[in-house]
Amino acid sequence: TCALPITALRILERAGVAKPWFGLFCKNTDYPLGRFATLEEIPKEPLCEVCDEQHSTQDQTCKVEIVYTINREKLAEFDPQASAA
């Protein structure tokens, strides 16, 4: 059930329509702490402006999720038939 959306996002990524990011979020409030192109770019102890606390993935006070941004112009031009070939 989860494979279909991931496969669709991968197809859109290869076509330049979708771009993956690593989103960092406060585990308590889900407040976004940043968006990063690679895992290495994620700060070790980001500050949450809502909690006013330092967080860390090590102590699990924040979480990392894959987030996709969609380029609407490229999506409008996207041809799924061409991508299937």
Side-chain angles (χ1 to χ4, degrees):
T1 59
C2 185
L4 185 59
I6 292 172
T7 301
L9 284 168
R10 290 288 188 196
I11 290 169
L12 292 173
E13 182 182 348
R14 279 189 235 121
V17 175
K19 180 172 180 158
W21 297 91
F22 293 98
L24 188 64
F25 300 89
C26 171
K27 197 160 189 175
N28 296 326
T29 64
D30 283 330
Y31 184 78
L33 304 175
R35 185 171 79 168
F36 307 92
T38 66
L39 289 172
E40 291 77 25
E41 292 178 15
I42 296 174
K44 298 290 183 210
E45 295 185 351
L47 176 66
C48 177
E49 296 175 10
V50 175
C51 297
D52 197 32
E53 293 181 15
Q54 296 290 132
H55 291 310
S56 170
T57 56
Q58 300 297 328
D59 65 9
Q60 299 182 346
T61 56
C62 64
K63 58 186 175 181
V64 178
E65 297 179 0
I66 297 178
V67 178
Y68 282 84
T69 55
I70 304 294
N71 182 317
R72 291 177 189 246
E73 290 175 7
K74 288 187 178 183
L75 181 60
E77 299 167 0
F78 178 68
D79 179 6
Q81 297 298 328
S83 294

